[in-house]
Amino acid sequence: MKPAIDTAVVDARLRELSRRLDRLAFRRPASLAQLQADEDLQDIVTRNLELAVQSAIDIAMHLCAAHGEVPTSGADAFTRLANQKLISRAQAQRLRRSVGFRNVLAHEYVALDWTVVMHALDEGVADLSSFGRQTVKLLDRLDRD
């Protein structure tokens, strides 16, 4: 049975994910020192990272629901996608960590470690981009079936 994915909802979240990743690419600091010295850049980077991860969580939640799964959290949604073999276990683990990072951005912003933020710009953005591409492939595959 074909999952009941509302492609308009997922497409909207994919566009938002892409928009946020594009903003991060455009405004990526050249160095840790630049990020540490520029509060406006810190705001741009952290807000776009937070919203990029949230977009991925929203996509994951929708895909889970379409497959009859009811995740208990954003992190659990990625685990369930791996259980459904829609993403790899390794990717699910990395995306689960991004959920924790989003929570830090949203709630612990007073004491951010800018080294961790720079790492998220390198590794985390790549993981989010990969998840977006995989979601597009999944939707294309479902359209053909």
Side-chain angles (χ1 to χ4, degrees), residues 24-44:
L24 287 165
F26 181 72
R27 294 303 307 249
R28 190 190 189 293
S31 67
L32 175 60
Q34 180 188 14
L35 181 61
Q36 289 171 323
D38 188 336
E39 285 187 35
D40 290 333
L41 184 57
Q42 292 170 7
D43 291 346
I44 291 167

Side-chain angles (χ1 to χ4, degrees), residues 21 24-25 49 52 119-130 133:
L21 294 176
L24 287 165
L49 279 169
H119 178 74
L121 285 170
D122 293 330
E123 302 297 324
V125 166
D127 291 332
L128 293 166
S129 182
S130 174
R133 286 190 307 275

Side-chain angles (χ1 to χ4, degrees), residues 24 45-55 101-102 105-106:
L24 287 165
V45 166
T46 57
R47 182 65 174 156
N48 281 283
L49 279 169
E50 178 186 350
L51 293 176
V53 173
Q54 187 60 54
S55 295
F101 180 68
R102 186 208 68 86
L105 291 175

Side-chain angles (χ1 to χ4, degrees), residues 25-138:
F26 181 72
R27 294 303 307 249
R28 190 190 189 293
S31 67
L32 175 60
Q34 180 188 14
L35 181 61
Q36 289 171 323
D38 188 336
E39 285 187 35
D40 290 333
L41 184 57
Q42 292 170 7
D43 291 346
I44 291 167
V45 166
T46 57
R47 182 65 174 156
N48 281 283
L49 279 169
E50 178 186 350
L51 293 176
V53 173
Q54 187 60 54
S55 295
I57 292 167
D58 293 347
I59 292 165
M61 290 289 210
H62 189 78
L63 294 175
C64 283
H67 285 83
E69 297 279 347
V70 182
T72 58
S73 66
D76 185 44
F78 293 116
T79 299
R80 290 171 182 259
L81 291 181
N83 291 344
Q84 291 281 336
K85 302 203 182 324
L86 297 174
I87 63 175
S88 71
R89 294 225 179 265
Q91 185 177 29
Q93 182 178 22
R94 291 189 305 273
L95 290 167
R96 284 193 306 267
R97 283 195 303 265
S98 76
V99 174
F101 180 68
R102 186 208 68 86
N103 292 342
V104 168
L105 291 175
H107 305 293
E108 306 288 333
Y109 50 85
V110 175
L112 283 177
D113 179 341
W114 297 110
T115 304
V116 173
V117 173
M118 286 296 289
H119 178 74
L121 285 170
D122 293 330
E123 302 297 324
V125 166
D127 291 332
L128 293 166
S129 182
S130 174
F131 178 68
R133 286 190 307 275
Q134 283 183 284
T135 302
V136 168
K137 287 179 185 176
L138 171 66

